Amino acid sequence: MRTDGTEQRKILEEKKSIYCPRWSSDGNNIYYLQSNELIWQPSELTHDLMKLEVSSATSNKSSKVVQAGLLAWGFSITRDNKILCYTKYDAFHNLWCFKYNEHKNPSQSKKLTDGTTFFNMPAISPDGSKIAVVHKSNIFIISVNGDSMKQLTFLN
Protein backbone atom coordinates (compact mmCIF):
# COMPACT_ATOMS: atom_id res chain seq x y z
CA MET A 1 0.00 0.00 0.00
CA ARG A 2 1.00 3.60 -0.34
CA THR A 3 1.97 5.65 2.69
CA ASP A 4 -1.41 7.40 2.61
CA GLY A 5 -3.15 3.99 2.98
CA THR A 6 -4.44 3.73 -0.57
CA GLU A 7 -3.81 0.92 -3.06
CA GLN A 8 -3.78 -1.82 -0.46
CA ARG A 9 -3.44 -5.36 -1.75
CA LYS A 10 -2.75 -8.74 -0.20
CA ILE A 11 0.39 -10.30 -1.56
CA LEU A 12 0.79 -13.28 0.77
CA GLU A 13 -1.26 -15.37 3.15
CA GLU A 14 0.50 -17.85 5.42
CA LYS A 15 -0.42 -20.06 8.37
CA LYS A 16 3.11 -19.79 9.75
CA SER A 17 4.35 -16.61 11.45
CA ILE A 18 6.14 -14.01 9.34
CA TYR A 19 8.78 -11.61 10.71
CA CYS A 20 11.01 -8.75 9.58
CA PRO A 21 9.88 -7.94 6.02
CA ARG A 22 12.58 -6.08 4.05
CA TRP A 23 12.37 -4.61 0.55
CA SER A 24 15.03 -5.50 -1.98
CA SER A 25 16.97 -2.47 -3.20
CA ASP A 26 15.21 -2.57 -6.59
CA GLY A 27 11.76 -2.73 -4.94
CA ASN A 28 10.71 -5.87 -6.83
CA ASN A 29 11.04 -8.35 -3.96
CA ILE A 30 10.33 -8.61 -0.25
CA TYR A 31 12.59 -10.75 1.92
CA TYR A 32 11.20 -11.99 5.23
CA LEU A 33 11.67 -14.61 7.92
CA GLN A 34 9.07 -17.35 8.22
CA SER A 35 8.74 -19.60 11.24
CA ASN A 36 9.19 -23.33 10.65
CA GLU A 37 6.70 -24.16 13.41
CA LEU A 38 2.95 -23.65 13.47
CA ILE A 39 3.15 -23.60 17.28
CA TRP A 40 5.91 -21.64 19.00
CA GLN A 41 8.42 -24.00 20.61
CA PRO A 42 11.58 -22.08 21.47
CA SER A 43 13.83 -25.14 21.69
CA GLU A 44 13.03 -26.07 18.08
CA LEU A 45 12.18 -22.73 16.50
CA THR A 46 14.03 -21.85 13.31
CA HIS A 47 13.19 -19.48 10.51
CA ASP A 48 13.58 -19.67 6.78
CA LEU A 49 14.66 -16.61 4.85
CA MET A 50 12.06 -16.19 2.15
CA LYS A 51 11.92 -14.13 -1.05
CA LEU A 52 8.61 -12.96 -2.53
CA GLU A 53 8.40 -11.24 -5.91
CA VAL A 54 6.07 -8.25 -5.62
CA SER A 55 6.53 -6.28 -8.83
CA SER A 56 3.33 -4.64 -10.05
CA ALA A 57 2.90 -7.24 -12.80
CA THR A 58 2.76 -10.15 -10.35
CA SER A 59 -0.01 -11.40 -8.15
CA ASN A 60 -0.40 -14.58 -6.12
CA LYS A 61 3.24 -15.56 -6.61
CA SER A 62 4.64 -18.08 -4.17
CA SER A 63 7.63 -17.37 -1.98
CA LYS A 64 10.99 -19.04 -2.49
CA VAL A 65 13.28 -20.26 0.27
CA VAL A 66 16.62 -18.43 0.12
CA GLN A 67 18.11 -20.01 3.27
CA ALA A 68 16.47 -22.61 5.52
CA GLY A 69 16.88 -23.28 9.23
CA LEU A 70 18.24 -19.98 10.53
CA LEU A 71 18.06 -19.24 14.24
CA ALA A 72 17.37 -15.65 13.21
CA TRP A 73 15.27 -12.97 14.91
CA GLY A 74 16.01 -10.03 12.67
CA PHE A 75 18.13 -9.37 9.62
CA SER A 76 19.50 -6.85 7.18
CA ILE A 77 20.51 -7.47 3.60
CA THR A 78 22.95 -5.55 1.36
CA ARG A 79 21.78 -3.54 -1.66
CA ASP A 80 23.05 -6.23 -4.03
CA ASN A 81 21.22 -8.91 -1.98
CA LYS A 82 24.46 -10.88 -1.60
CA ILE A 83 25.21 -10.49 2.12
CA LEU A 84 22.84 -11.16 4.99
CA CYS A 85 23.47 -10.08 8.56
CA TYR A 86 21.13 -11.54 11.18
CA THR A 87 20.61 -11.69 14.91
CA LYS A 88 21.05 -15.27 16.09
CA TYR A 89 18.77 -16.59 18.80
CA ASP A 90 20.85 -17.98 21.69
CA ALA A 91 18.82 -19.50 24.48
CA PHE A 92 19.90 -19.69 28.07
CA HIS A 93 18.12 -20.75 31.22
CA ASN A 94 18.31 -19.31 34.68
CA LEU A 95 16.63 -20.54 37.83
CA TRP A 96 13.81 -18.51 39.37
CA CYS A 97 11.80 -19.19 42.50
CA PHE A 98 8.69 -17.84 44.15
CA LYS A 99 7.00 -18.81 47.36
CA TYR A 100 3.33 -19.40 46.75
CA ASN A 101 0.85 -17.84 49.14
CA GLU A 102 -2.76 -17.69 47.97
CA HIS A 103 -3.36 -14.59 50.15
CA LYS A 104 -0.45 -12.65 48.61
CA ASN A 105 0.63 -11.93 45.06
CA PRO A 106 2.18 -15.24 43.89
CA SER A 107 3.98 -13.67 40.94
CA GLN A 108 6.77 -12.09 42.98
CA SER A 109 9.63 -14.22 41.67
CA LYS A 110 13.25 -14.14 42.73
CA LYS A 111 16.06 -14.88 40.28
CA LEU A 112 18.46 -17.41 41.83
CA THR A 113 21.05 -17.79 39.06
CA ASP A 114 22.49 -15.41 36.51
CA GLY A 115 24.37 -15.68 33.26
CA THR A 116 24.12 -17.06 29.76
CA THR A 117 24.34 -20.80 30.40
CA PHE A 118 21.76 -23.46 31.14
CA PHE A 119 20.26 -24.35 34.51
CA ASN A 120 17.88 -27.27 33.90
CA MET A 121 15.67 -29.84 35.61
CA PRO A 122 15.13 -28.21 39.03
CA ALA A 123 13.97 -30.46 41.86
CA ILE A 124 13.09 -29.07 45.29
CA SER A 125 14.29 -31.08 48.30
CA PRO A 126 11.67 -32.79 50.50
CA ASP A 127 12.23 -30.24 53.28
CA GLY A 128 11.83 -27.32 50.81
CA SER A 129 15.16 -25.70 51.67
CA LYS A 130 17.27 -26.63 48.61
CA ILE A 131 16.96 -27.11 44.88
CA ALA A 132 18.95 -29.65 42.88
CA VAL A 133 19.65 -28.41 39.38
CA VAL A 134 21.65 -29.59 36.36
CA HIS A 135 24.24 -27.05 35.21
CA LYS A 136 27.06 -27.70 32.71
CA SER A 137 26.33 -31.47 32.81
CA ASN A 138 26.74 -31.59 36.58
CA ILE A 139 24.40 -31.53 39.56
CA PHE A 140 24.40 -28.49 41.81
CA ILE A 141 22.49 -27.73 44.99
CA ILE A 142 21.27 -24.20 45.56
CA SER A 143 19.34 -22.83 48.52
CA VAL A 144 15.80 -21.65 47.80
CA ASN A 145 16.98 -18.17 48.84
CA GLY A 146 19.75 -18.30 46.23
CA ASP A 147 22.45 -17.41 48.75
CA SER A 148 24.59 -20.53 48.28
CA MET A 149 25.34 -22.98 45.49
CA LYS A 150 27.40 -26.16 45.80
CA GLN A 151 28.56 -28.48 43.02
CA LEU A 152 27.92 -32.18 43.79
CA THR A 153 29.19 -33.95 40.66
CA PHE A 154 32.29 -33.30 38.55
CA LEU A 155 31.68 -35.07 35.26
CA ASN A 156 33.32 -32.59 32.90
Side-chain angles (χ1 to χ4, degrees):
M1 78 167 139
R2 295 189 172 279
T3 56
D4 64 3
T6 61
E7 298 185 32
Q8 295 181 27
R9 66 183 172 118
K10 185 189 296 188
I11 58 170
L12 180 68
E13 188 171 324
E14 281 288 339
K15 291 182 180 179
K16 296 179 180 180
S17 298
I18 295 173
Y19 305 94
C20 304
R22 304 282 187 260
W23 283 103
S24 63
S25 59
D26 63 9
N28 292 326
N29 300 289
I30 294 177
Y31 291 89
Y32 63 93
L33 296 172
Q34 176 178 284
S35 172
N36 283 327
E37 298 291 326
L38 291 174
I39 299 172
W40 192 73
Q41 298 174 7
S43 62
E44 300 174 12
L45 185 65
T46 61
H47 294 103
D48 294 337
L49 177 65
M50 307 296 291
K51 178 182 177 181
L52 177 65
E53 188 178 334
V54 292
S55 64
S56 59
T58 62
S59 63
N60 298 327
K61 282 254 183 180
S62 61
S63 299
K64 296 178 182 169
V65 177
V66 175
Q67 178 69 40
L70 295 174
L71 291 169
W73 287 96
F75 73 96
S76 181
I77 195 161
T78 57
R79 288 186 182 270
D80 63 2
N81 305 319
K82 303 274 185 208
I83 299 173
L84 172 79
C85 174
Y86 67 94
T87 303
K88 182 180 180 221
Y89 171 74
D90 286 324
F92 57 90
H93 304 149
N94 279 295
L95 188 62
W96 291 74
C97 185
F98 75 87
K99 294 181 181 178
Y100 179 73
N101 182 334
E102 64 184 60
H103 303 294
K104 293 184 178 180
N105 183 358
S107 64
Q108 294 178 347
S109 297
K110 179 179 180 183
K111 190 174 184 181
L112 302 181
T113 62
D114 200 20
T116 57
T117 61
F118 293 91
F119 289 88
N120 293 310
M121 308 295 291
I124 298 175
S125 64
D127 68 1
S129 67
K130 298 179 186 102
I131 303 167
V133 64
V134 175
H135 176 58
K136 296 182 180 180
S137 301
N138 285 291
I139 299 172
F140 286 76
I141 298 293
I142 187 168
S143 72
V144 293
N145 298 325
D147 55 7
S148 66
M149 185 162 66
K150 179 180 179 183
Q151 186 171 350
L152 297 182
T153 63
F154 298 87
L155 301 175
N156 288 339

